[in-house]
Amino acid sequence: MRTPRLAVRIGAGALALSGAAAAVYGLTATPASSLSETGSTNLTVLAASRDTGVTRLATISRARVLANAQTWHPHTAMRVPYSQSRTHNGYRTDCSGYASMALELGRPGLNTVGLAAPSVSTRISMSQLQPGDLVIDATGDSNTRHVVIFEKWANTAHTLYWEYEQRGGYGTDHRTRDYGLSAGSQYHAYRPKKIA
């Protein structure tokens, strides 16, 4: 039995990916407009975005994740307001939509549980955090789950860190937090698999 593959069209060429690999890179599979003459189950994978400032890449640098996070003008009067039902440049303006945008995953973005999925990221210890990694609380419901983008440690004792987030009642923010640093916290550190 053959495993269905996804064909990613890039210019005149194509790249075959398994469904899991497509999910890692935030690609959305949609049925091709017509099946090939052999009746295969090939799918055309369309990148979910055509942003002017964000391009879909197979991998992304840590610096680019942070640069993308800054495009929503955190902690300024031009910040993007928080909403679980609205979008900005095609991405949901909630915490997971914002993290998906920064990582250049497909629009409208994964939810918090999706960002923590093994196909998208790997759980690491808090002490291993590097710029662009995520700190995620994937428990509870859509009103209690949350994700922030780690920037850097705020002190040598590693008791606070700078992060980017899209937070309820405010919008895009850049501030220090201690999520995940206390014993028994529901927040955990994750390394996105597409970070090079």
Side-chain angles (χ1 to χ4, degrees), residues 81-87 91-97 108 112 141-146 166-168:
Y82 179 94
S83 173
Q84 291 184 357
S85 58
R86 294 185 178 180
T87 61
Y91 286 96
R92 278 188 333 279
T93 57
D94 59 10
C95 63
S96 55
T112 309
D141 60 29
S142 62
N143 294 312
T144 60
R145 294 187 297 253
H146 195 49
Q166 188 71 0
R167 65 180 173 99

Side-chain angles (χ1 to χ4, degrees), residues 5-8 14-18 21:
R5 296 175 69 101
L6 304 174
V8 181
L15 170 69
L17 294 175
S18 70

Side-chain angles (χ1 to χ4, degrees), residues 61-85:
S61 70
R62 293 179 181 283
R64 187 168 172 108
V65 173
L66 298 182
N68 287 342
Q70 293 169 19
T71 65
W72 283 19
H73 309 288
H75 208 72
T76 71
M78 297 186 318
R79 66 188 178 268
V80 175
Y82 179 94
S83 173
Q84 291 184 357
S85 58

Side-chain angles (χ1 to χ4, degrees), residues 24-187:
V24 168
Y25 299 118
L27 301 173
T28 305
T30 57
S33 59
S34 62
L35 293 174
S36 68
E37 291 180 26
T38 60
S40 69
T41 58
N42 284 346
L43 300 174
T44 301
V45 177
L46 303 174
S49 168
R50 299 213 173 160
D51 277 336
T52 54
V54 178
T55 305
R56 297 293 157 268
L57 300 172
T59 60
I60 189 169
S61 70
R62 293 179 181 283
R64 187 168 172 108
V65 173
L66 298 182
N68 287 342
Q70 293 169 19
T71 65
W72 283 19
H73 309 288
H75 208 72
T76 71
M78 297 186 318
R79 66 188 178 268
V80 175
Y82 179 94
S83 173
Q84 291 184 357
S85 58
R86 294 185 178 180
T87 61
H88 180 72
N89 292 334
Y91 286 96
R92 278 188 333 279
T93 57
D94 59 10
C95 63
S96 55
Y98 177 60
S100 295
M101 178 280 299
L103 287 164
E104 300 187 7
L105 300 173
R107 293 186 200 186
L110 297 174
N111 63 22
T112 309
V113 174
L115 289 169
S119 61
V120 177
S121 62
T122 303
R123 191 161 155 183
I124 58 173
S125 69
M126 293 295 289
S127 64
Q128 292 176 299
L129 281 167
Q130 294 183 42
D133 287 337
L134 304 177
V135 179
I136 303 174
D137 174 356
T139 61
D141 60 29
S142 62
N143 294 312
T144 60
R145 294 187 297 253
H146 195 49
V147 55
V148 302
I149 303 164
F150 179 87
E151 181 192 20
K152 62 185 177 183
W153 291 104
N155 56 36
T156 55
H158 290 191
T159 58
L160 288 173
Y161 54 86
W162 282 96
E163 52 86 359
Y164 291 95
E165 68 179 311
Q166 188 71 0
R167 65 180 173 99
Y170 184 79
T172 319
D173 207 357
H174 180 230
R175 60 184 180 159
T176 59
R177 302 304 295 161
D178 63 356
Y179 297 148
L181 296 176
S182 60
S185 174
Q186 294 184 123
Y187 283 89

